[in-house]
Amino acid sequence: MWSRRSFLALSSLAATLPMATLAHATSTQADLTLRLPAPTGPHRIGVRSLQLIQRGRRDPWIGTPDRDVMLSIFYPALTTHGYPVAPQMTPAAAAFFNIFDAQFLHSLPTAGVNWAATLTHSHVEAPALPGHRPVILYSPGGIDPRTLGTGTAEELASHGYIVITIDHPGETSEVELSTGELRRIKIPPTGATDPVILRLMISTRLADIAFVLSQLKTIDLPLDLRRVGIYGHSAGGATAAEALYENRGLRSAINLEGYLDYLPLTPGEPNELYPIAQHGTDRPVQLTGTDGYRDDRFDSSWSALLSHGGPVRRTELTQANHWVFTDLGTMAAQCQQAGLMTAENRAKLVGTIAPGRSVPWIRNSVRSFFDRTLRC
């Protein structure tokens, strides 16, 4: 999620920051290059980007008559020879991340790191390995771009899944569309506490997910559309759980630390549970959180879902904090080791847990869940 202070600063900055500023925000070659952990599966990985346009669905954040979503699709590759390795972020997105996400949202270093230099382990447009494969969608946390979910997506793809990470433009801090346009966050500054805007955010995400599901059959990759799951972080985790409830085409979902309730429309009233928390589910859901970010709202809304019984389980990672489920779980540790980030800021972001423990734990938790629910 986010704090009201950081959200106000972010939204105000996004509205006024001139593109010329970005030209002066690029890193030098001498700056630290952060590295993503290598995937452990037997398959090499291909990746492609795809912009989908839903004609006739008005974009709630910028008011255009059509709605865009931007995807990265990770998949097992037949060969990667001769196909370039994809960067984690495009240069324009990395420049904006450096002076926007890093400074105001995550307390990351804005100097000394070359955010554009981080490479993935995936090769652009490499040919796909034959054979239909289970599909997993990913929705990122509020404000965070889909690029911060690269590590887990690559891990799943290396073990035989096709993983589609989704940006929700207008709400995402920055996303570069296939046209080259850098779409920046447009949610009003009141979004952090406005229950109407927060509901609009979730309903927009759910409509994005439904649209992507409807377009899977048009993607030229060997997708097994009978075996589709979803996971997400924070607001994306809440989206994943509720999307499972609303779409019978989804077989299972993981909620990585997302609330399952809405803030009340009338002050003083209790929070309103999401339909999945109100009514339960007959399909598998995993609720995964951290001890550092746990609060009464999680206990209340997650317990409501658990109370219905059914195939729902809850797990918790200790010595950890909210963004440990993203690539920042390893990046923050590298920044601290290089003397570019304090131990306090790292702990607030991802906890004190070492990446050597957190990365395998998260990967095993996510992969084993989908192995159980999508491989059968």
Side-chain angles (χ1 to χ4, degrees):
M1 312 309 183
W2 52 76
S3 70
R4 182 176 185 275
R5 177 182 177 186
S6 64
F7 191 94
L8 289 167
L10 282 163
S11 301
S12 300
L13 178 64
T16 59
L17 188 65
M19 288 303 294
T21 303
L22 298 182
H24 302 288
T26 55
S27 301
T28 69
Q29 291 184 349
D31 287 337
L32 176 67
T33 296
L34 301 173
R35 302 189 183 280
L36 299 175
T40 65
H43 299 297
R44 292 164 291 189
I45 308 168
V47 65
R48 64 177 60 167
S49 298
L50 179 63
Q51 182 177 347
L52 296 177
I53 304 174
Q54 188 172 12
R55 303 294 182 186
R57 179 182 157 214
R58 183 178 179 274
D59 189 298
W61 310 121
I62 63 175
T64 54
D66 303 320
R67 172 67 174 170
D68 301 283
V69 292
M70 197 67 196
L71 315 178
S72 290
I73 309 174
F74 300 86
Y75 53 91
L78 177 64
T79 180
T80 55
H81 181 71
Y83 294 88
V85 176
Q88 182 189 28
M89 304 180 197
T90 66
F96 195 72
F97 182 94
N98 182 64
I99 57 175
F100 187 71
D101 305 59
Q103 181 176 357
F104 290 95
L105 183 61
H106 295 311
S107 298
L108 293 162
T110 56
V113 175
N114 187 345
W115 295 103
T118 301
L119 296 177
T120 69
H121 301 90
S122 304
H123 296 255
V124 179
E125 296 291 347
L129 190 68
H132 283 77
R133 303 184 179 281
V135 184
I136 305 174
L137 308 185
Y138 170 73
S139 180
I143 301 181
D144 283 341
R146 74 188 191 280
T147 50
L148 288 183
T150 297
T152 301
E154 289 191 318
E155 171 71 3
L156 290 168
S158 78
H159 285 271
Y161 293 96
I162 295 177
V163 185
I164 302 175
T165 64
I166 304 168
D167 263 329
H168 306 279
E171 175 206 324
T172 301
S173 53
E174 70 282 328
V175 52
E176 186 168 342
L177 304 179
S178 295
T179 59
E181 174 192 355
L182 185 69
R183 187 76 61 81
R184 294 180 283 176
I185 188 170
K186 297 294 183 181
I187 290 182
T190 55
T193 55
D194 189 325
V196 174
I197 291 176
L198 290 174
R199 287 172 188 243
L200 177 60
M201 185 185 81
I202 295 298
S203 66
T204 300
R205 282 170 167 258
L206 290 170
D208 289 346
I209 297 297
F211 174 55
V212 171
L213 287 170
S214 75
Q215 298 301 299
L216 291 180
K217 59 183 177 292
T218 69
I219 296 175
D220 185 23
L221 284 169
L223 284 66
D224 185 346
L225 300 185
R226 300 167 302 170
R227 297 185 292 168
V228 183
I230 186 170
Y231 71 111
H233 171 240
S234 195
T239 300
E242 186 58 26
L244 179 78
Y245 181 83
E246 296 186 5
N247 298 275
R248 296 302 301 184
L250 290 168
R251 287 179 55 168
S252 58
I254 299 176
N255 173 2
L256 299 171
E257 208 155 58
Y259 295 121
L260 292 179
D261 61 4
Y262 295 110
L263 296 177
L265 294 172
T266 302
E269 294 293 319
N271 289 8
E272 178 186 342
L273 292 171
Y274 286 13
I276 189 172
Q278 291 183 45
H279 306 296
T281 177
D282 59 353
R283 284 161 290 158
V285 175
Q286 181 168 290
L287 305 171
T288 301
T290 64
D291 60 342
Y293 206 74
R294 183 171 181 170
D295 62 14
D296 291 342
R297 190 176 168 193
F298 281 118
D299 289 339
S300 175
S301 63
W302 287 15
S303 294
L305 174 56
L306 288 161
S307 70
H308 297 284
V312 183
R313 59 175 296 198
R314 179 173 183 170
T315 62
E316 185 172 276
L317 180 60
T318 58
Q319 297 180 309
N321 215 323
H322 194 51
W323 280 273
V324 73
F325 298 113
T326 73
D327 294 335
L328 298 179
T330 58
M331 290 175 149
Q334 293 173 60
C335 290
Q336 183 191 359
Q337 187 175 19
L340 299 173
M341 187 175 191
T342 66
E344 180 183 10
N345 282 340
R346 174 190 166 186
K348 289 179 181 178
L349 187 65
V350 301
T352 59
I353 188 171
R357 186 166 77 89
S358 65
V359 171
W361 191 97
I362 293 166
R363 286 178 165 185
N364 291 338
S365 175
V366 171
R367 192 179 73 246
S368 63
F369 173 82
F370 286 123
D371 284 347
R372 292 193 307 271
T373 62
L374 295 183
R375 295 287 192 188
C376 55

